[in-house]
Amino acid sequence: MPYLVASDLPAKPAGMRFRSLLEQPGIVQMPGAHNGIAALQARAAGFEALYLSGAAMSSSMGLPDLGVITIDEVCFFIRQVARASGLPVLVDGDTGYGEALNVMHMVRAFEEAGAAAVHIEDQILPKKCGHLNNKKLADPRDMAAKVAAAAKARRDLVIIARTDAAASEGLDSAVARARLYLEAGADAIFPEALTNAEMFRAFAKALPDVRLLANMTEFGRTPFFTASEFEAMGYRMVIWPVSALRAANKAQARVFAAIKRDGGTQTVIDQMQTRQELYDTIGYHEYEALDASLVKTVVPQGMPQR
């Protein structure tokens, strides 16, 4: 339904709705949605929550995921994804955009933009994707201070502390950091770049009754596991951060290559979303119906022959 109609908006804050999902049986599955229409498509596929990846936001702007985008730029993505879908959205908060006061500003801005949850990582700038090498870690006490600041600033936002320590300091260090972050006020823990099932199980065993998030990104250090496999290993949430963006980018590249090669799109028309499918996805006619003075648009059927 159109987001312009007040009665169509969720009655409860996004953070409360996210907590309700965490209290239900089963693992919370969150595909990455890098813009509003991706969010609509994910909702149509049946998902109840979404993930907004820093790598996807940066890449969609033509930038690397090195912590160079700003809070305001991230809020632009939050607003369109949360508004379009009406679903609770977990947002990548990178390192918190600075120290404790910056983290508090980020939390307030994200929550006001419509975020349901945020995760903050224990790297220092320039940060890197969690599945790359040579990541530099923050002092665990400094990271705990950021978590405490985030918890103090939020209304309903769920705070997830991500630790990248497993790759460089080992699993025991990652567990110790996680315990410190929980004491500081984190609602859940995100152990990044674990490399096998044994590590996932060991981390979960070391932190019983803690809500854990697993990252199922392609082309990284983690082998493929399904949502049910992560659940069996003790995880309550799983994200697929950049999957949809990777697929969309590959499809766009094929279309551009076809236009350059063939002088038009005639060889790839069968790979495109039709106008009717696009209008159905974005609810075109529902928006149109809001203004009784508009005549319903007639969608052309097929393409004219020459």
Side-chain angles (χ1 to χ4, degrees):
M1 294 295 290
Y3 78 90
L4 298 173
V5 179
S7 61
D8 296 328
L9 300 177
K12 293 183 179 179
M16 291 179 62
R17 289 183 282 125
F18 193 82
R19 291 177 191 278
S20 294
L21 289 176
L22 290 176
E23 292 167 2
Q24 296 174 13
I27 188 167
V28 179
Q29 303 179 46
M30 292 174 278
H34 54 283
N35 58 25
I37 194 163
L40 288 172
Q41 290 177 310
R43 185 185 69 181
F47 290 99
E48 296 182 286
L50 301 175
Y51 178 62
L52 190 49
S53 156
M57 288 184 280
S58 298
S59 297
S60 69
M61 295 171 65
L63 296 169
D65 182 25
L66 294 172
V68 297
I69 62 175
T70 68
I71 289 175
D72 286 344
E73 287 169 329
V74 175
C75 286
F76 169 78
F77 285 95
I78 296 171
R79 281 190 290 270
Q80 62 173 302
V81 169
R83 183 178 65 188
S85 68
L87 298 178
V89 181
L90 165 62
V91 182
D92 184 348
D94 281 345
T95 61
Y97 301 90
E99 299 307 319
L101 290 178
N102 305 93
V103 170
M104 296 179 82
H105 171 56
M106 177 201 71
V107 165
R108 296 300 319 123
F110 281 14
E111 196 164 33
E112 288 164 5
V118 65
H119 69 71
I120 310 168
E121 64 203 51
D122 55 5
Q123 289 190 52
I124 60 174
L125 293 174
K127 63 138 287 177
K128 287 188 173 184
C129 167
H131 290 253
L132 298 180
N133 62 327
N134 295 328
K135 295 178 291 183
K136 296 179 176 63
L137 298 184
D139 182 278
R141 291 165 296 183
D142 292 341
M143 173 63 178
K146 290 185 179 183
V147 172
K152 187 176 183 65
R154 55 102 177 268
R155 291 193 190 102
D156 302 293
L157 199 73
V158 175
I159 307 298
I160 301 175
R162 169 178 142 179
T163 179
D164 288 60
S168 55
E169 296 182 350
L171 195 66
D172 289 344
S173 175
V175 169
R177 282 173 172 265
R179 288 179 176 142
L180 187 61
Y181 306 159
L182 289 165
E183 290 172 6
D187 299 298
I189 297 294
F190 172 6
E192 176 64 305
L194 304 188
T195 57
N196 54 57
E198 289 71 26
M199 289 183 74
F200 278 101
R201 292 192 190 98
F203 194 91
K205 184 177 180 180
L207 295 167
D209 302 320
V210 173
R211 290 165 172 162
L212 302 177
L213 182 147
N215 179 10
M216 189 57 263
T217 190
E218 302 83 13
F219 313 109
R221 294 172 180 250
T222 301
F224 280 107
F225 295 110
T226 65
S228 59
E229 287 172 328
F230 279 122
E231 183 178 3
M233 289 189 280
Y235 290 74
R236 291 289 295 115
M237 297 166 277
V238 56
I239 55 174
W240 294 267
V242 198
S243 308
L245 179 70
R246 295 188 204 280
N249 287 350
K250 194 77 168 181
Q252 286 175 171
R254 286 196 298 267
V255 170
F256 294 143
I259 294 172
K260 180 64 175 175
R261 180 187 65 242
D262 306 323
T265 60
Q266 60 273 16
T267 62
V268 290
I269 197 74
D270 62 331
Q271 300 175 40
M272 294 184 185
Q273 186 184 50
T274 67
R275 185 186 298 266
Q276 185 64 63
E277 289 168 338
L278 172 61
Y279 285 4
D280 289 345
T281 301
I282 62 177
Y284 187 99
H285 294 310
E286 292 177 280
Y287 281 92
E288 215 175 27
L290 288 175
D291 188 344
S293 67
L294 290 177
V295 177
K296 183 175 180 180
T297 298
V298 177
V299 179
Q301 301 299 310
M303 293 185 68
Q305 302 299 310
R306 57 176 182 173

